[in-house]
Amino acid sequence: VVLYATASLTSTLGFPKDMWVGRSFIDFVHPRDRNTFASQITNGLAVPTVKCHTEEIDQTIENQGSTMVCRIRRYRGLTYAFGVKDTTVAYLPFLLKFRFKNITDDKGTIIYLVIQAVPYFSAFKTSNEVLANTVSFVMRHNADGNLEYIDSVSVPYLGYLPQDITNRDALLLYHPGDLGFLQEVYQSLVKEGNVNRSKPYRLMTQNGHYLKVETEWSAFINPWSKKLEFVTGKHYIIEGPANPDVFQNPEITLNFTEEQKNKSKMYRDGIIRIMKEVLTKPAEIAKQQMSKRCQDLALFMEILMEEQPKAVDELRLEIQDADHSYYERDSVILGGISPHHEYDSKSSTETPLS
């Protein structure tokens, strides 16, 4: 429940300052953002305990903070006849900064949630605007093309809120006319693991128009499976879209024939196939090493099979010759040193008895 609101609420959203007091904040949050908002609050309440050597430091909940992007409802206002001016409900995007504050009074310590809301506006003022300062943001998608992460820095440039675009097909953001070039980029990316800053291509904004970016690509290869896990792109904005207000409702800016749609799908399927089937550089190296080991083993077995019979024959002959020579030597030696032979009998007959 809202207990206090600053006067800037009126200038930003149009609500009278006291209209929010006593009402739940989540009532003014866009329905699609409410789960994200509730999850953010819950995560903020989980406060870890940090231990440093022998001293234990408890991080109080007051020191905790987090941020999220969400849409908040604008005030529709009343006419002089006390009727609603506009029946449509409009929302503005905001960056919310959360902080919990402990306040102690006679009843004890109470935890309050302090929310600072900073409005988002389109970063572009004119059609096809070239930015004076280089701005970059990061996106990451997996091998199936599903978007896993998008930097909140991208919001005023693309117009998408992270929760709206996450888990969607990232390849649908690429301009159909650039898919052929991007397929070559992905081919190099999978084989080499990274691609230096590319030439400009187009990304679709929330309003249906396209801005131009240059991208530095990198791929994470699973060290065990040697397969591509996800692709990260750092996008540098070169030129804004034709419609500078990226938060406007989407417009149909391109009309494609069935042939063009099928060709675009073929390119997207090709990119997915490249990420999932083409051998990565570590996998190619491992395959070459395994192939070399197999070749060496086959060569060794071939040599062994050719030389093995000859070696057995030679071994048998050597053993027989050695045994024969030993038998002859033994008989000669025994014959030469035998103490019981002719010498004993001769000495017994020739020596007279005394």
Side-chain angles (χ1 to χ4, degrees):
V1 176
V2 177
L3 299 178
Y4 173 79
T6 61
S8 58
L9 178 69
T10 303
S11 59
T12 306
L13 293 173
F15 286 96
K17 178 183 174 182
D18 296 331
M19 183 172 281
W20 278 42
V21 176
R23 300 180 63 180
S24 175
F25 185 92
I26 203 168
D27 290 341
F28 300 94
V29 175
H30 195 286
R32 292 196 320 211
D33 299 334
R34 290 176 182 175
N35 287 338
T36 307
F37 178 83
S39 176
Q40 196 74 25
I41 301 278
T42 304
N43 293 336
L45 289 172
V47 184
T49 298
V50 179
K51 294 183 179 180
C52 180
H53 301 294
T54 58
E55 182 181 1
E56 183 174 316
I57 302 174
D58 291 332
Q59 289 188 358
T60 62
I61 202 166
E62 188 173 355
N63 295 329
Q64 300 302 302
S66 59
T67 61
M68 70 163 288
V69 180
C70 79
R71 287 153 293 200
I72 299 178
R73 180 161 56 88
R74 297 183 63 180
Y75 183 58
R76 288 180 291 181
L78 299 174
T79 62
Y80 292 108
F82 298 101
V84 178
K85 271 186 181 180
D86 190 357
T87 57
T88 60
V89 180
Y91 291 85
L92 290 181
F94 284 83
L95 174 66
L96 302 186
K97 299 179 180 180
F98 299 94
R99 183 170 61 88
F100 290 92
K101 187 175 182 61
N102 294 329
I103 297 180
T104 304
D105 55 16
D106 297 338
K107 298 180 181 180
T109 301
I110 302 177
I111 300 174
Y112 290 94
L113 173 63
V114 179
I115 302 177
Q116 180 184 1
V118 181
Y120 272 119
F121 300 101
S122 178
F124 306 105
K125 306 300 181 185
T126 60
S127 177
N128 303 115
E129 180 180 352
V130 178
L131 299 179
N133 299 319
T134 302
V135 177
S136 63
F137 60 91
V138 175
M139 292 172 57
R140 184 181 72 234
H141 66 75
N142 61 19
D144 292 318
N146 292 329
L147 188 67
E148 296 181 332
Y149 170 81
I150 183 169
D151 199 339
S152 59
V153 175
S154 67
V155 174
Y157 299 95
L158 291 177
Y160 301 107
L161 272 62
Q163 58 265 33
D164 286 343
I165 196 173
T166 303
N167 296 323
R168 290 174 55 186
D169 189 353
L171 305 186
L172 292 174
L173 297 177
Y174 301 148
H175 191 284
D178 297 330
L179 287 172
F181 158 71
L182 289 169
Q183 189 174 39
E184 297 176 0
V185 170
Y186 276 88
Q187 186 85 26
S188 301
L189 176 63
V190 172
K191 289 186 175 181
E192 300 300 328
N194 59 77
V195 173
N196 294 330
R197 192 159 167 171
S198 67
K199 70 179 185 180
Y201 67 98
R202 290 160 288 186
L203 275 180
M204 187 169 64
T205 61
Q206 193 273 153
N207 63 13
H209 292 260
Y210 290 83
L211 53 76
K212 290 183 180 179
V213 297
E214 295 176 355
T215 303
E216 293 176 354
W217 307 86
S218 63
F220 175 77
I221 309 300
N222 188 307
W224 288 275
S225 66
K226 306 294 189 299
K227 292 184 177 180
L228 184 144
E229 290 285 337
F230 57 80
V231 171
T232 302
K234 186 175 183 180
H235 306 281
Y236 296 87
I237 299 173
I238 304 302
E239 183 180 293
N243 181 357
D245 188 357
V246 295
F247 293 112
Q248 277 190 1
N249 292 328
E251 303 174 8
I252 300 176
T253 59
L254 299 174
N255 292 317
F256 297 105
T257 63
E258 286 300 319
E259 182 180 355
Q260 290 173 323
K261 291 178 180 178
N262 293 335
K263 189 174 182 180
S264 298
K265 186 178 184 305
M266 180 189 69
Y267 277 127
R268 286 193 292 268
D269 292 343
I271 292 174
I272 298 295
R273 186 167 55 253
I274 288 170
M275 290 190 289
K276 302 185 76 171
E277 297 179 8
V278 173
L279 287 178
T280 60
K281 190 173 184 179
E284 186 68 34
I285 293 173
K287 182 181 178 181
Q288 292 174 359
Q289 291 175 344
M290 182 61 69
S291 177
K292 187 176 185 304
R293 290 194 191 101
C294 292
Q295 291 175 0
D296 292 343
L297 180 60
L299 180 61
F300 173 75
M301 294 298 295
E302 184 178 349
I303 295 173
L304 185 62
M305 294 299 293
E306 289 178 354
E307 294 184 353
Q308 187 173 0
K310 182 178 179 181
V312 172
D313 292 342
E314 290 179 353
L315 181 60
R316 186 180 298 115
L317 289 173
E318 288 176 359
I319 292 174
Q320 290 175 356
D321 291 345
D323 290 344
H324 182 68
S325 62
Y326 284 132
Y327 289 146
E328 289 182 351
R329 191 183 307 116
D330 289 346
S331 63
V332 171
I333 293 174
L334 289 174
I337 67 171
S338 176
H340 306 288
H341 212 57
E342 298 176 346
Y343 305 104
D344 293 335
S345 60
K346 183 179 179 180
S347 62
S348 62
T349 56
E350 291 180 357
T351 303
L353 295 172
S354 55

